[in-house]
């Protein structure tokens, strides 16, 4: 019995749940357990998280909006005795967890960890007396890092690697040994991949106007890494490689038995994320010597990618590298990571709750039957992969991709994925 088996069923039993975790009026810290509010939810909406789905180094983590019943006053202000927050600190910074999944015939719930995401309530909860409804507007957990200026993070100094700096953010305190972030994202929920290039924050002023989240995002850009908020409420700072060598899920579409794909929305060469020339400003002074480059300029030749696809330049700034050699290594790493043109696919599927950003998956899909037809002159025989050449007709069998974005519609129990070829 697997979740793949439940997803493939023509008729399946599903569940969705919502939970809150409040802050103590005594300690100002989160309570240890979760309180379920599922029975109050009238409208679930949707949620999305994405890395590089629009452009390189764009990390998108949307919040969620729930419409809940308030005829009992459960979502009133914390001074109301009927409120779920009565006796607690405030509704502000309450954690909200959303779960969804499948129920097997024997009652087993799948996946084992049914979390789709953990969010934080940072806006007022408006209440309508006409409908006895309240609206919970919860943001991504990334918003807790927006409230803290990077310059106030403890321990930022010279010769620290990106992984060291991320650890400093994780362990940031108020100066009295009270953790700022670890109450919301526990220390064991941080995954920080080790890096080696050193940065110097002792003399740099380039981060004075940045938030802690801005700092993490720019460090990820410099290293060719990503910052991922996973579905269990953890944070990961790691490279863009797929999580495992084997597929986390195999998608099947039309002409396959028990398909999980409802619609194939778009298949394209991702020109918007292809760059063949990188320019990095690594010194504060605005002079010619303040810039480093990686890649080559275009020359007229059918074998030169810069001529074949155009000169596509990625400009960015990072003045934190300790020396020129380190800065050149950073820009070279970005070129090596992003100078290859990849294909991308957008599909809408049945609810698939268990996948994470950068999971390796495969797609099997046919838009017609190729059996019995010659393929002569139907594609470039020198091409490495027929699927890359044949236009709008698809004949894929376990074609490998990795996940760039996940958007879950909790009203219709569907998931839309943006996938990138590997």
């Amino acid at each position: 019995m697997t979740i793949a088996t439940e997803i493939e069923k023509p008729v399946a039993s599903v569940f969705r749940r919502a939970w809150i975790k409040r802050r103590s009026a005594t300690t100002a810290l989160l309570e240890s357990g979760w309180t379920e509010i599922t029975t109050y939810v009238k409208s679930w909406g949707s949620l999305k998280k994405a890395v590089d789905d629009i452009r390189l180094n764009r990390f998108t983590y949307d919040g969620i909006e729930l419409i809940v019943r308030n005829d009992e006053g459960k979502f009133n202000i914390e001074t109301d005795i009927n409120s779920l927050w009565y006796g607690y600190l405030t509704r502000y910074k309450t954690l909200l967890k959303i779960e969804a999944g499948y129920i097997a015939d024997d009652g087993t719930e799948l996946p084992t960890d049914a979390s789709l995401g953990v969010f934080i309530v940072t806006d007022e909860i408006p209440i309508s007396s006409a409908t006895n409804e309240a609206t919970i507007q919860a943001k991504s957990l990334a918003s807790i890092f927006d409230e803290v200026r990077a310059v106030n993070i403890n321990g930022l100094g010279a010769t620290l690697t990106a992984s060291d700096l991320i650890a400093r953010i994780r362990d940031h305190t108020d100066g009295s040994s009270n953790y700022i972030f670890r109450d919301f994202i526990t220390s064991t929920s941080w995954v920080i991949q080790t890096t080696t290039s050193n940065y110097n924050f002792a003399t740099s002023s380039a981060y004075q106007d940045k938030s802690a989240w801005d700092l993490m995002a720019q460090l990820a850009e410099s290293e060719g890494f990503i910052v991922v908020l996973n579905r269990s409420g953890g944070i990961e700072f790691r490279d863009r490689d797929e999580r495992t060598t084997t597929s986390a899920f195999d998608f099947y579409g039309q002409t396959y038995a028990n398909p999980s794909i409802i619609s194939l929305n778009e298949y394209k060469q991702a020109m918007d994320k292809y760059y063949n020339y990188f320019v990095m400003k690594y010194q504060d002074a605005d002079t010619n010597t303040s810039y480093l480059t990686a890649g080559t300029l275009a020359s007229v030749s059918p074998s030169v990618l810069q001529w074949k696809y155009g000169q596509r330049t990625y400009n960015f700034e990072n003045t934190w590298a300790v020396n020129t050699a380190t800065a050149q290594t950073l820009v070279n790493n970005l070129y090596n990571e992003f100078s290859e043109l990849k294909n991308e696919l957008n599909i809408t599927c049945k609810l698939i709750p268990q996948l994470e950003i950068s999971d390796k998956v495969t797609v099997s899909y046919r838009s017609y039957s190729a059996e019995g037809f010659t393929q002569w002159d139907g594609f470039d025989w020198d091409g490495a992969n027929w699927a890359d050449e044949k236009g709008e007709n698809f004949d894929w069998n376990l074609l490998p991709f990795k996940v760039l974005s996940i958007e879950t519609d909790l009203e219709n129990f569907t998931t839309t994925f943006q996938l990138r070829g590997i």
Side-chain angles (χ1 to χ4, degrees):
M1 177 178 54
T2 64
I3 190 168
T5 302
E6 298 304 313
I7 293 171
E8 290 172 0
K9 287 181 178 179
V11 178
S13 297
V14 295
F15 67 88
R16 57 190 176 186
R17 289 191 289 258
W19 307 78
I20 58 171
K21 184 179 284 191
R22 300 155 295 191
R23 294 186 298 163
S24 166
T26 303
T27 66
L29 300 177
L30 292 166
E31 59 186 325
S32 58
W34 293 90
T35 299
E36 188 172 0
I37 61 168
T38 304
T39 57
Y40 300 104
V41 180
K42 298 180 67 175
S43 174
W44 293 81
S46 62
L47 53 96
K48 179 181 180 180
K49 57 184 176 181
V51 170
D52 300 338
D53 68 324
I54 300 173
R55 63 178 293 270
L56 292 182
N57 298 306
R58 181 67 58 85
F59 310 125
T60 305
Y61 300 101
D62 291 348
I64 189 169
E65 182 174 289
L66 301 182
I67 307 298
V68 294
R69 290 190 302 104
N70 196 48
D71 46 299
E72 300 174 3
K74 295 298 184 182
F75 299 90
N76 288 351
I77 192 168
E78 60 276 358
T79 55
D80 188 324
I81 194 172
N82 297 308
S83 173
L84 290 169
W85 283 264
Y86 184 72
Y88 289 86
L89 189 58
T90 63
R91 294 171 299 177
Y92 178 72
K93 283 194 173 179
T94 294
L95 290 189
L96 172 68
K97 180 170 67 172
I98 303 297
E99 295 180 336
Y102 291 84
I103 305 173
D105 293 339
D106 64 357
T108 301
E109 292 186 353
L110 297 166
T112 304
D113 178 3
S115 298
L116 289 180
V118 178
F119 306 88
I120 188 165
V121 179
T122 57
D123 293 322
E124 185 53 78
I125 299 179
I127 298 170
S128 169
S129 62
T131 61
N132 283 330
E133 294 176 349
T135 303
I136 300 178
Q137 298 168 320
K139 292 182 179 178
S140 159
L141 274 179
S143 64
I144 66 174
F145 300 102
D146 289 330
E147 294 187 2
V148 177
R149 295 177 63 207
V151 71
N152 293 329
I153 298 295
N154 305 320
L156 300 189
T159 61
L160 292 173
T161 65
S163 51
D164 291 334
L165 291 163
I166 297 297
R168 294 289 199 281
I169 295 173
R170 176 197 62 196
D171 299 332
H172 177 55
T173 71
D174 63 358
S176 300
S177 301
N178 299 306
Y179 292 111
I180 299 298
F181 303 124
R182 279 169 50 171
D183 191 38
F184 303 97
I185 305 174
T186 61
S187 59
T188 56
S189 297
W190 289 71
V191 176
I192 304 173
Q193 185 174 327
T194 301
T195 62
T196 57
S197 296
N198 285 318
Y199 298 82
N200 183 5
F201 281 77
T203 59
S204 175
S205 61
Y207 69 104
Q208 295 289 327
D209 61 341
K210 297 184 183 299
S211 69
W213 179 257
D214 293 333
L215 176 58
M216 290 194 290
Q218 188 164 349
L219 287 170
E221 178 183 46
S222 298
E223 295 287 337
F225 274 35
I226 55 177
V227 184
V228 176
L229 292 168
N230 61 38
R231 61 192 181 89
S232 300
I235 195 163
E236 304 175 14
F237 180 79
R238 55 178 175 76
D239 62 36
R240 283 177 163 80
D241 291 346
E242 52 271 20
R243 288 172 172 268
T244 61
T245 57
T246 58
S247 173
F249 187 76
D250 299 321
F251 293 94
Y252 290 95
Q254 63 184 33
T255 78
Y256 286 89
N258 303 317
S260 53
I261 299 175
I262 297 172
S263 65
L264 194 159
N265 306 318
E266 183 180 67
Y267 176 66
K268 67 176 183 178
Q269 285 186 313
M271 293 290 291
D272 55 336
K273 297 171 201 164
Y274 166 66
Y275 296 92
N276 47 42
Y277 196 71
F278 286 76
V279 179
M280 173 184 175
K281 186 176 186 294
Y282 81 107
Q283 293 181 341
D284 288 325
D286 194 12
T287 65
N288 290 339
T289 58
S290 297
Y291 295 83
L292 296 174
T293 63
T296 57
L297 298 174
S299 59
V300 181
S301 170
S303 62
V304 174
L305 293 180
Q306 286 84 347
W307 185 257
K308 186 176 181 179
Y309 296 113
Q311 190 79 52
R312 305 181 67 84
T313 303
Y314 188 92
N315 294 282
F316 73 109
E317 179 176 334
N318 188 313
T319 59
W320 304 333
V322 295
N323 52 48
T324 302
T326 298
Q328 188 65 60
T329 297
L330 294 175
V331 73
N332 290 345
N333 289 342
L334 285 174
Y335 173 79
N336 294 335
E337 179 73 27
F338 299 126
S339 60
E340 184 179 355
L341 182 63
K342 299 288 185 70
N343 292 320
E344 291 189 8
L345 178 66
N346 185 278
I347 53 176
T348 297
C349 311
K350 299 176 181 178
L351 175 70
I352 301 177
Q354 75 275 21
L355 294 182
E356 297 277 16
I357 298 294
S358 287
D359 272 347
K360 181 179 181 179
V361 298
T362 68
V363 176
S364 298
Y365 191 97
R366 299 189 185 102
S367 60
Y368 69 100
S369 175
E371 185 177 0
F373 294 90
T374 178
Q375 305 306 318
W376 182 258
D377 205 28
F379 63 98
D380 182 1
W381 288 97
D382 292 331
N385 191 323
W386 180 31
D388 294 345
E389 306 292 339
K390 63 179 178 295
E392 65 182 6
N393 295 309
F394 308 101
D395 189 13
W396 299 332
N397 183 40
L398 300 177
L399 195 66
F401 291 87
K402 70 176 178 180
V403 177
L404 289 188
S405 76
I406 305 170
E407 184 170 4
T408 303
D409 183 338
L410 287 165
E411 296 294 339
N412 297 303
F413 280 91
T414 61
T415 312
T416 297
F417 295 93
Q418 186 80 10
L419 308 177
R420 184 170 174 84
I422 56 177

